[in-house]
Amino acid sequence: MPNASDILIETLIEWKVEVVFGLPGDGINGIMEALRRRQDRIRFVSVRHEQSAAFMACAYAKFTGRLGVCLATSGPGGTNLLTGLYDAKLDQMPVLAITGMQYHDLIETFSQQDVDLTRVFENVAVYNAQVNDAAHMENLANLACRSALSKRGVAHLSIANDVQERMAGGGRSRRNREGHMPSRFFEGRLVPREDDILRAADLLNAGRKVAILAGRGALEAKGLLRETADLLGAPVAKALLGKAVLPDDDPFTTGGIGILGTVPSQEIMQQCDTLLIVGSTFPYIEYYPKPHAATGIQIDHDPQRIGLRYPVEVGLVGAAGETLRMLNERLQRKADRTFLEQAQEKTRNWRRELRAMEGDRSSPLKPQAAVGAFGRRIAANGIVVTDSGQNTELAARHVDLGADHMFAVSGALASMASGLPYAIAAGIAMPARPIYAVVGDGGFAMQLGEFATAVRYEIPLKLLVIRNDMLNQIAWEQMMFLGNPQFACELPPIDFAAAAEAMGGRGFTIRSFDEIDGVLDQAFAAEGPVVIQALVDRYEPLMPPKMPEDYARNFRAALPQTPGHEKIEENLRHSSAGRKVTEEEPQAPHEAAPDANTGDLPGIP
């Protein structure tokens, strides 16, 4: 006769769960035994920290579209999951978190690890329950899986130590009939109303300067999105989570938007008379057209998110693919391509500027050169992840994605220490594809031990660490936000190449421009997980597409008291964007790269 843990794991298998990420503990011994007995049917991936397990579950859901599952013991094991679970919540990913508890009759008696995790998880979870016995588990395990998938969020089950081993067959109420809840997910076809489609088509056909903002929700409809852009003669700006929607060199895209973005993307938002938003709630309102300056149409599966950032005229509630298919049938191909052609010319100029940055041979080594060379070596079927901080900006600008690449990052939460767990999850989810990561030394150090997990599971990972011994994004925030000198952002040096070797992987170091190609050739030829640390100039600025005047003013005030200001000034003199710091017209405040674990949004790097 099965016990509650058996029922849980069998239910996960019925829900097509193939992997559970977690860390063993005595608060989940019953569940671990149920997993051990089913190793041929469901895989347990053992991590070094529960936070990583939650990040991995979130990333696994992003890469596969399936339910991600993480498991942690009682007390601190469960609380350690929270950061990764908030990543799933804010990026709307289906994740099931399973945690242990103290013995059921010792809860709230000040016993060891006596933490009420259902109360702790109340804010992060769309479904949150404590399991009472085996009969209860039949219902709750199914409902937790269904809730996470249907609500695109976190579900949580907390199971007392002894309840995990409680046998089925006893204690069932008369009403709780065995087998009354199927282990299946039911979906329908979500399409907009016909009159909304017609009205949206009329507005788009009438627009003379149509721009498109595409996000992660458009990933399911890449070909249809490109068809829409062609019909409308519309340049496409990409939110960071939608970086893979179109290849970065596609003639219809102007690249990213916001502080990570491009001048052409910013300009099409300022100049368009009609804006089509597809699968995005890019949160930085200051980068949209001014309210009512352009006619807005938005496509999103969630009606709550339509009109969230811009006052749209028509909201099309539906999946991006079905909706664009219906819309394209009613669009007229625009003969006037002037707006698109102007954006294309400016995008070509912008990309030439990026290539020039990547060719800078000066010393100390510039991070753009290392990231650009790394990006050019990525295989056509590669999966790319990045962490949160200045490394995100480098990857967004200097790693070009192609048609078959996949990309993921901690989006709305923008958490440091997510890059390596994301990379491991990508390798677990899609073992036949090579994995690439661009991370910073600050975030990588937070979960450095997880590289041993990559070695253990033989993840085909090439990981580039931007090592400047500095929390550089935060340093520039301090200067740009309020005009304060940089303070306490220096990091003690870590030899990440040596650490990689100590954990059974391979480690390489790039110290100068002339070493880039040779070192990368060796690193990319190596088998198994590889760390490549690039020792880069900590004083190299990463400027926004256009410098907001208030940030330029703050920067000038902070610079004289900032350590190393002479080197910063020298780099600015050699940067076209830096020379414009005092010349820019007032601009909207910046958006930001995913950055450090602070309450502030990331600012000018």
Side-chain angles (χ1 to χ4, degrees), residues 499-579:
E501 296 280 349
M503 287 183 273
R506 297 294 308 277
F508 299 86
T509 302
I510 302 172
R511 295 178 175 83
S512 68
F513 184 93
D514 290 339
E515 293 182 353
I516 291 175
D517 287 335
V519 172
L520 288 179
D521 286 346
Q522 293 180 59
F524 274 64
E527 297 292 330
V530 173
V531 167
I532 309 149
Q533 60 175 354
L535 311 186
V536 302
D537 186 357
R538 68 166 61 178
Y539 303 110
E540 172 68 9
L542 287 176
M543 310 302 288
K546 292 187 177 182
M547 173 65 79
E549 198 216 330
D550 57 336
Y551 287 170
R553 184 173 58 249
N554 290 341
F555 172 76
R556 291 193 297 269
L559 188 58
Q561 299 180 64
T562 291
H565 66 89
E566 301 92 347
K567 296 177 181 178
I568 296 173
E569 292 168 355
E570 181 181 353
N571 283 337
L572 287 171
R573 283 193 293 272
H574 290 88
S575 161
S576 60
R579 290 194 298 272

Side-chain angles (χ1 to χ4, degrees), residues 12-23:
L12 294 182
I13 292 170
E14 290 175 3
W15 279 89
K16 312 302 182 188
V17 172
E18 297 177 357
V19 182
V20 176
F21 301 95
L23 190 65

Side-chain angles (χ1 to χ4, degrees), residues 160-223:
N161 199 334
D162 53 327
V163 169
Q164 295 169 31
E165 300 179 26
R166 195 164 291 177
M167 306 303 291
R172 182 185 296 275
S173 67
R174 290 185 301 171
R175 185 166 293 168
N176 183 16
R177 290 184 174 178
E178 185 175 358
H180 76 266
M181 189 180 294
S183 300
R184 291 179 56 197
F185 182 51
F186 301 95
E187 296 181 274
R189 181 170 177 257
L190 185 62
V191 295
R193 296 182 302 195
E194 180 68 19
D195 57 339
D196 288 334
I197 287 285
L198 292 173
R199 187 167 176 231
D202 287 343
L203 293 175
L204 291 166
N205 286 328
R208 295 178 59 249
K209 297 179 179 180
V210 182
I212 297 174
L213 171 59
R216 188 185 62 224
L219 287 171
E220 67 174 66
K222 296 179 181 181

Side-chain angles (χ1 to χ4, degrees), residues 182-468:
S183 300
R184 291 179 56 197
F185 182 51
F186 301 95
E187 296 181 274
R189 181 170 177 257
L190 185 62
V191 295
R193 296 182 302 195
E194 180 68 19
D195 57 339
D196 288 334
I197 287 285
L198 292 173
R199 187 167 176 231
D202 287 343
L203 293 175
L204 291 166
N205 286 328
R208 295 178 59 249
K209 297 179 179 180
V210 182
I212 297 174
L213 171 59
R216 188 185 62 224
L219 287 171
E220 67 174 66
K222 296 179 181 181
L224 289 164
L225 176 70
R226 196 177 193 281
E227 180 183 343
T228 306
D230 186 26
L231 287 166
L232 295 172
V236 180
K238 301 186 295 183
L240 181 61
L241 294 181
K243 181 173 170 63
V245 164
L246 290 175
D248 283 308
D249 63 356
D250 189 287
F252 284 102
T253 185
T254 54
I257 187 171
I259 191 71
L260 310 176
T262 72
V263 169
S265 288
Q266 193 161 335
E267 290 182 346
I268 65 170
M269 290 293 139
Q270 294 168 346
Q271 298 168 5
C272 68
D273 61 19
T274 309
L275 175 64
L276 173 62
I277 305 169
V278 184
S280 178
T281 50
F282 172 70
Y284 304 100
I285 299 170
E286 58 269 28
Y287 283 99
Y288 289 79
K290 292 180 180 179
H292 305 293
T295 300
I297 300 97
Q298 184 172 355
I299 299 171
D300 203 287
H301 74 276
D302 184 356
Q304 184 185 35
R305 293 187 168 240
I306 290 181
L308 189 62
R309 312 297 184 202
Y310 191 78
V312 298
E313 301 293 326
V314 180
L316 300 176
V317 181
E322 288 281 356
T323 303
L324 287 175
R325 185 176 292 105
M326 296 171 67
L327 189 61
N328 288 350
E329 292 173 355
R330 295 160 177 81
L331 295 179
Q332 302 163 4
R333 192 175 193 278
K334 293 188 184 297
D336 185 354
R337 320 293 279 185
T338 304
F339 187 57
L340 173 63
E341 290 167 355
Q342 290 173 345
Q344 288 172 332
E345 177 60 28
K346 291 177 180 177
T347 302
R348 285 190 289 270
N349 293 336
W350 172 264
R351 289 176 60 79
R352 280 193 287 268
E353 289 187 23
L354 293 182
R355 301 295 87 81
M357 293 179 194
E358 294 164 11
D360 187 343
R361 303 177 66 91
S362 62
S363 181
L365 175 65
K366 299 300 181 277
Q368 298 93 331
V371 175
F374 181 85
R376 288 190 292 275
R377 285 169 167 78
I378 290 173
N381 66 336
I383 299 176
V384 181
V385 305
T386 185
D387 206 276
S388 296
Q390 198 172 64
N391 61 90
T392 322
E393 300 182 56
L394 288 162
R397 290 183 178 179
H398 297 281
V399 175
D400 275 357
L401 298 185
D404 296 324
H405 287 138
M406 298 182 75
F407 175 80
V409 64
S410 173
L413 185 64
S415 177
M416 294 173 70
S418 59
L420 179 55
Y422 267 50
I424 294 170
I428 297 294
M430 299 185 176
R433 300 181 67 165
I435 314 301
Y436 306 90
V438 177
V439 303
D441 48 2
F444 188 39
M446 290 180 177
Q447 291 290 3
L448 179 58
E450 221 61 74
F451 187 74
T453 305
V455 172
R456 176 180 185 175
Y457 293 103
E458 301 179 335
I459 305 300
L461 170 64
K462 302 294 184 289
L463 184 145
L464 177 65
V465 186
I466 305 304
R467 183 182 152 191
N468 48 28

